[in-house]
Amino acid sequence: MQMMKTLLAATAIVSVMASAASAKTLVYCSEGSPEGFDPAPYTAGTTFDASSRAIYNRLVEFEHGKTSTVPGLAESWEISEDGLEYTFKLRPGVKFQTTDYFTPTRDMNADDVIFSFDRQRIADNPWFEYATGISWEYFNGMSMPDLISEIVKVDDMTVKFVLNRPEAPMIANLAMDFASIMSKEYADQLEAAGTKELLNQQPVGTGPYQFVAYQQDAVIRYKANPDYWAGKQAIDDLVFAITTDAAVRRQKLEAGECHIMPYPAPADIAALQENDDLTVGEQEGLNVGYLAYNTQMAPFDNPKVRKALNMAISKQAILDAVFQGSGQAAKNPIPPTMWSYNNAVEDDAFDPEAAKQMLADEGVTDLSMKIWAMPVQRPYNPNARRMAEVMQADLGNIGVDVEIVSYEWGEYLARSSEVDRDGAVLLGWTGDNGDPDNFLAVLLGCDAVGGSNRAQWCNEEFEALIQKAKVTSDVAERTKLYEEAQVVFKREAPWNTIAHSKVFMPMSKKVTGFVMDPLGYHRFDDVDIAE
C-alpha cells in the first residue's frame, strides 16, 4: 500500500516494478489519455480500457475473447414472446468498491440499474447533463431513447426493460460500455455535496480493479478490488503508463518498463517478433478505417463529388505507406469477418482522370478542403498523419487543394461530431458487440447525426433497411437487409472506406492469461505475471 501511495508519476514505474517483492504490479503502456472515467458519454476504446473494462461491470458481459454474451451483474434473464420485455434477475451480494472517497452501505440492486440508464434517456433527469459537454453518443446513436419505453423495478433484485419495439441485438447492446452499472448511492452522495462532476473523475464500480489516482497524460493507477464478486485478481497493482509515441512504447517494452503495449508501429512488428523475451499476439481486426465527408456541407452533399474524391485516392498507396502488410483494402463499412458482409459490392476504382472529369461535370473547380488527421494511433489507423499526406498528394493530382489539420484527441472527437464541421475526417471503428447494427446504425444511422455519425449522413433508403433489420429476429432476413444497405452505402459514398487492419499485441513472456479481444478491448481480469 505504501508503495502505491508513493507512485505519483510514470517516472516512478520502473523502480516500483523492481521493488515489488510481494505485490504483483503489471504495467500497461497505453496509447493515450481517457476522456473521462464515466464510460457512457464516450466512444473511444482508449477511454473504455481505462474505465469500463477495469472498473465497471454490466448486466451481461462478453465472453472473454469472444463476441458471445454471458451473465454479468444479471444472473439470468427472460424475454417475453413478443420481444418487448426483458426481465433481469440481479446477482446477489455484489458490492461497489470502497475507496478513499466512498464507502458503500448496501449491495448493488435495481436502483443502480435504473439510475445508470435513466440518466441517459430522460432529459429532465438531474444527471442528464451533470457535467459540461456531457452527451450520450452511444445511447442516442443506437436509438435507445425511442427504443426503451420504461425500466421497471420489479423488486430490489429484479429489473424489467419494456421496449417500444423488438430489438434483435438488445442483449449484446447491454454488454457494451455505455451500459456499465453505476452506484446510485455514490451519485446521491455527490449530488448532496454539489460535486456531481466527480462521477467522471473519481469512479466507483463493481469491477475487478478500483481506481486509485490519475495524473493526466502520464499515469493511471488501480488496485485489485478485494471484494470483486468474481474473485480478487492475481495482479495487485495495475498501472496504465500513458505513452502516446509507438516508438517509445516499444522501447519501454523491450527495456522491461512495461509488460504489454498496444498498437505497435507496423515497421516495428518484425523486430518485436524476433525478441526472445516477448510474445506478439495477432488477429484479424473487427474494424474499419474511413474518411467521412460532411454530407450536409457543399460540395460534399453531392454523392458524385464524394465518389469522384474516392476514385482519386489510391488505397494501395495507403496500404503500402501506412499499414505495411498489416491491413487490407476496405470496400464496405463492415469488416469481411462480420456476418452479412456483402462481398458482391464493387469498390470504387482508382481512376484519377475519371475523377477529375466527374468533378468538372458537377461544376466543381478549384476545390479546397480540409482533411482531419487523428493525433493518436488506433487499430484501424496506425498513422493518420501519413495517411492524410497520401490523400493530400493524390487529391492534389486532380487539382484539389488539401489542408491537413489535427487536434488533441478529446477535442478531435468532440469537434468532428459537430454537424457544421468543415472538411473530411479520418476516423474508424472497432465493433463493440459483433452485430452489423453496431457499425451501420451507430456510424451511419439518422439518430447518430451530430454524434457518432461523422458523415452527418441521413439517407431514407438506408435508414429504412437498417431499422427493419433491427426488429427482425430471423438472421437470414437480417443478412439480406444489411447486404442491401451496403449497396446503398456504396452508391451514396458518405465515406471513403480505407482499410481493415490486422491487430498485434506485443507483451512480455512473463504475462499469462491475457486474451486478445475481437472487440478491441484490453482487459486485465484473469491476467497474471510471473515473479
Side-chain angles (χ1 to χ4, degrees):
M1 180 65 75
Q2 183 59 38
M3 178 189 70
M4 289 190 296
K5 290 182 179 178
T6 59
L7 179 60
L8 296 176
T11 52
I13 291 169
V14 179
S15 61
V16 169
M17 291 174 65
S19 62
S22 56
K24 288 187 176 181
T25 299
L26 185 138
V27 181
Y28 169 62
C29 275
S30 59
E31 78 285 5
S33 298
E35 300 152 279
F37 289 92
D38 176 355
Y42 307 113
T43 61
T46 305
T47 299
F48 297 153
D49 288 344
S51 60
S52 46
R53 297 295 152 182
I55 298 168
Y56 296 101
N57 294 121
R58 290 136 293 277
L59 292 174
V60 295
E61 300 282 359
F62 290 112
E63 193 171 359
H64 215 155
K66 300 179 180 178
T67 58
S68 52
T69 54
V70 295
L73 295 182
E75 280 190 320
S76 62
W77 54 88
E78 295 180 353
I79 306 171
S80 62
E81 288 190 6
D82 61 6
L84 295 179
E85 294 186 355
Y86 286 67
T87 303
F88 295 90
K89 296 293 291 185
L90 302 184
R91 185 181 299 276
V94 174
K95 300 186 184 308
F96 281 98
Q97 296 144 2
T98 298
T99 68
D100 292 341
Y101 44 88
F102 177 65
T103 300
T105 64
R106 62 167 176 78
D107 293 345
M108 181 272 302
N109 66 26
D111 293 331
D112 302 309
V113 177
I114 292 171
F115 166 74
S116 300
F117 290 94
D118 277 359
R119 71 196 183 110
Q120 301 182 61
R121 74 185 190 90
I122 299 175
D124 61 0
N125 184 288
W127 286 87
F128 188 74
E129 295 179 333
Y130 77 88
T132 302
I134 285 287
S135 63
W136 313 104
E137 274 195 44
Y138 262 115
F139 198 78
N140 294 329
M142 299 174 71
S143 306
M144 287 284 177
D146 294 331
L147 173 67
I148 298 175
S149 171
E150 59 179 333
I151 304 175
V152 180
K153 178 180 179 179
V154 179
D155 57 44
D156 278 354
M157 301 307 291
T158 309
V159 180
K160 181 165 66 178
F161 285 65
V162 182
L163 308 185
N164 287 314
R165 61 176 184 274
E167 176 83 351
M170 184 65 182
I171 290 296
N173 290 346
L174 292 180
M176 292 169 57
D177 304 82
F178 78 93
S180 296
I181 302 303
M182 321 291 282
S183 166
K184 183 178 186 304
E185 185 183 17
Y186 178 48
D188 288 344
Q189 174 181 300
L190 295 177
E191 187 170 4
T195 56
K196 285 183 175 179
E197 69 280 2
L198 293 183
L199 189 73
N200 201 20
Q201 300 166 20
Q202 295 181 336
V204 170
T206 60
Y209 291 95
Q210 59 191 63
F211 178 81
V212 175
Y214 171 46
Q215 185 175 345
Q216 187 171 3
D217 300 330
V219 63
I220 312 170
R221 295 189 295 119
Y222 312 84
K223 66 177 182 179
N225 175 7
D227 300 317
Y228 185 43
W229 56 271
K232 182 180 176 297
Q233 299 298 299
I235 299 297
D236 299 285
D237 301 298
L238 174 64
V239 178
F240 278 31
I242 299 169
T243 312
T244 56
D245 189 306
V248 178
R249 289 200 298 275
R250 175 191 170 184
Q251 292 168 6
K252 286 186 172 182
L253 181 67
E254 292 178 327
E257 296 178 24
C258 60
H259 299 104
I260 307 178
M261 64 164 282
Y263 316 128
D268 291 340
I269 291 171
L272 289 165
Q273 289 172 327
E274 293 171 0
N275 188 323
D276 292 336
D277 295 327
L278 305 177
T279 58
V280 181
E282 64 179 85
Q283 67 179 193
E284 295 295 333
L286 193 72
N287 62 43
V288 62
Y290 59 79
L291 178 73
Y293 303 102
N294 186 342
T295 62
Q296 295 194 25
M297 302 281 281
F300 310 109
D301 55 345
N302 182 344
K304 292 182 180 178
V305 171
R306 303 193 296 260
K307 204 81 168 173
L309 297 178
N310 287 355
M311 293 170 61
I313 294 172
S314 170
K315 291 183 187 178
Q316 190 56 55
I318 290 173
L319 291 172
D320 293 342
V322 177
F323 290 89
Q324 301 182 36
S326 62
Q328 62 176 303
K331 61 181 181 180
N332 287 317
I334 62 175
T337 51
M338 174 77 73
W339 62 271
S340 81
Y341 180 82
N342 190 343
N343 200 35
V345 167
E346 291 190 11
D347 202 5
D348 301 312
F350 174 56
D351 190 339
E353 288 304 316
K356 193 173 183 178
Q357 186 60 51
M358 284 178 68
L359 288 181
D361 292 344
E362 297 305 310
V364 176
T365 57
D366 300 324
L367 175 61
S368 296
M369 63 181 288
K370 292 179 180 176
I371 288 182
W372 294 36
M374 297 144 44
V376 296
Q377 290 136 337
R378 305 301 303 146
Y380 45 75
N381 192 335
N383 191 336
R385 166 64 65 167
R386 182 73 185 106
M387 185 181 291
E389 290 170 349
V390 174
M391 292 178 169
Q392 183 183 47
D394 283 345
L395 292 174
N397 289 335
I398 64 166
V400 176
D401 182 56
V402 171
E403 177 188 1
I404 300 173
V405 299
S406 191
Y407 302 95
E408 179 275 329
W409 185 221
E411 184 180 2
Y412 187 99
L413 291 169
R415 294 180 59 156
S416 63
S417 67
E418 296 173 355
V419 175
D420 61 352
R421 179 211 75 226
D422 59 355
V425 169
L426 283 173
L427 209 58
W429 193 255
T430 298
D432 293 289
N433 64 10
D435 195 289
D437 178 77
N438 180 246
F439 282 79
L440 302 179
V442 174
L443 304 181
L444 296 158
C446 292
D447 285 342
V449 169
S452 50
N453 183 342
R454 257 61 180 200
Q456 317 301 347
W457 184 63
C458 179
N459 178 279
E460 290 184 4
E461 185 181 2
F462 180 89
E463 183 73 10
L465 289 164
I466 64 170
Q467 290 299 333
K468 187 175 180 181
K470 272 179 180 286
V471 300
T472 304
S473 58
D474 182 82
V475 174
E477 180 62 20
R478 290 188 75 201
T479 296
K480 182 180 176 184
L481 292 165
Y482 286 135
E483 288 176 344
E484 292 179 35
Q486 289 167 76
V487 172
V488 176
F489 167 89
K490 202 64 190 179
R491 186 190 72 215
E492 296 295 318
W495 297 351
N496 185 352
T497 50
I498 306 298
H500 310 291
S501 76
K502 183 178 287 187
V503 179
F504 296 88
M505 185 61 58
M507 67 190 79
S508 164
K509 284 188 173 177
K510 295 180 179 178
V511 176
T512 60
F514 184 88
V515 178
M516 290 189 71
D517 195 306
L519 303 175
Y521 300 121
H522 301 106
R523 295 174 52 174
F524 300 98
D525 46 324
D526 300 331
V527 174
D528 201 352
I529 187 168
E531 295 290 352

